[in-house]
Amino acid sequence: MIALVWLMILVFLYIGLYMWNKKTPKPKGCENLTADCDGCKLVDCTHNPVHHEEETKND
Amino acid sequence: MELFALFISLALINNVVLSKFLAVCPLLGVSKKSSSALGMGAAVTFVIVIASMITHVLYYQVLVKFHIEYMDLITFILVIASLVQFVEMFLKKVSPPLYKALGVYLPLITTNCAVLGTTLNNITDGYSFIEATVAGFAVSIGFALVIYIFATIRERLEIASTPEGFKGVPIALITAAIMACAFAGLAGLV
C-alpha cells in the first residue's frame, strides 16, 4: 500500500513538473533551439533524426 | 584523501563511458562538434550531481524508512525525469543565458543511462551523502572529459582520408575502443 502511494506521488510529481515546464514560456531567442543529436541506432528515442524526417514528410 | 581517490577512480579509471559502457548513446549522437559535446557535458554534470544528492536522501529517508527499498529503480527513474523537467523550467525562468547554453541538451539527459547508473551505483556501493555527491561529480566530469576528447578526435577525422567503409560510426567506434584502451592504462593510478 505504501509502495502504491509512493508511486502515485512520484507519477503526479512528474506530471505536475512536466505541465509546469510546458507552460513556462521559452526566453527570447531560444524559441527554435533543437538538439543537434545525429542519432545512434536507437530509433525509439524521440531525439533520433528519423522522427524529424517523418515530421517533415507529414508537413 | 579518500574522496580524492574516489574522484580520480570514477573520473578516469572506472570511467562511466569507457569502462562501464553507459551513456554510449550521447557519446555517438552528440559528439560531432566539440561545442555541442562541451554543452552536453556541462548539462550532464549539472543533472548527475543534483540527482545523486536527491536520490541518496530519498533512498535513506523514504525508501529505507518505509521498507520499500525494492522501489529504488522506479523511484530513481521518475525522480530523474522530474528533476530534468524542473531544471529546464528553472533555467527558463531564472537564467535565460544558461538555458540557451544547456537547455537544448536537458531533454536528452532524461534518457541518459549514466544518470540512472550513477544513482543506483551510489546506493549499491553504500556511499555516504558526501561520497555520493563526489561520486556524481566525478562520474559526470569523466563523461564530459571523454565526450569532449572524442568530439575533437571526430572533428579531425572528418577531414582525414578515412577508407570509405570506415567513415562515420565505424571509425568512431574504433576511436572509442582505442580511447578505452588508453584509459585502461590509468589503472593502478590510485
Side-chain angles (χ1 to χ4, degrees):
Chain A
M1 187 63 191
I2 294 171
L4 203 62
V5 172
W6 177 240
L7 184 65
M8 294 302 282
I9 291 170
L10 290 172
V11 169
F12 280 113
L13 178 77
Y14 175 70
I15 293 171
L17 283 168
Y18 177 80
M19 298 301 285
W20 195 11
N21 184 27
K22 274 275 178 197
K23 281 181 183 172
T24 307
K26 289 180 180 174
K28 277 184 183 173
C30 303
E31 290 86 359
N32 295 317
L33 288 181
T34 48
D36 50 356
C37 178
D38 301 307
C40 51
K41 298 294 175 194
L42 288 173
V43 285
D44 52 341
C45 173
T46 52
H47 299 290
N48 196 297
V50 174
H51 298 288
H52 305 304
E53 283 166 20
E54 280 174 8
E55 281 169 18
T56 318
K57 273 182 195 172
N58 292 337
D59 292 340
Chain B
M1 190 60 198
E2 270 184 22
L3 289 177
F4 180 71
L6 181 72
F7 180 87
I8 296 294
S9 164
L10 288 173
L12 298 176
I13 301 160
N14 297 315
N15 188 276
V16 67
V17 186
L18 300 177
S19 171
K20 293 177 182 166
F21 308 115
L22 297 173
V24 175
C25 183
L27 181 79
L28 294 175
V30 199
S31 62
K32 272 215 161 174
K33 283 190 280 178
S34 53
S35 56
S36 306
L38 216 54
M40 184 69 179
V44 165
T45 305
F46 197 62
V47 171
I48 288 187
V49 173
I50 300 173
S52 294
M53 293 194 281
I54 291 176
T55 52
H56 190 275
V57 171
L58 280 180
Y59 184 81
Y60 288 104
Q61 298 303 320
V62 179
L63 301 187
V64 172
K65 272 194 179 171
F66 291 103
H67 308 291
I68 48 171
E69 293 94 333
Y70 57 89
M71 295 279 290
D72 58 351
L73 185 63
I74 188 78
T75 300
F76 291 179
I77 289 171
L78 284 166
V79 165
I80 291 163
S82 305
L83 179 69
V84 170
Q85 296 297 327
F86 178 76
V87 169
E88 195 177 342
M89 184 271 303
F90 184 78
L91 290 183
K92 273 182 198 171
K93 280 190 168 178
V94 176
S95 177
L98 201 58
Y99 177 76
K100 201 168 186 177
L102 305 182
V104 75
Y105 303 105
L106 287 172
L108 291 171
I109 295 172
T110 314
T111 50
N112 189 339
C113 57
V115 187
L116 183 64
T118 306
T119 53
L120 287 171
N121 272 346
N122 288 344
I123 300 303
T124 50
D125 292 347
Y127 291 150
S128 66
F129 180 77
I130 300 291
E131 286 172 336
T133 310
V134 172
F137 185 62
V139 164
S140 46
I141 290 294
F143 171 79
L145 183 73
V146 166
I147 197 171
Y148 182 70
I149 296 172
F150 191 63
T152 52
I153 295 172
R154 283 189 81 178
E155 278 179 346
R156 296 192 72 171
L157 281 172
E158 281 291 310
I159 50 170
S161 56
T162 316
E164 198 60 41
F166 282 100
K167 276 184 180 169
V169 176
I171 195 69
L173 287 172
I174 292 169
T175 309
I178 295 169
M179 278 178 70
C181 293
F183 271 70
L186 296 169
L189 193 68
V190 285

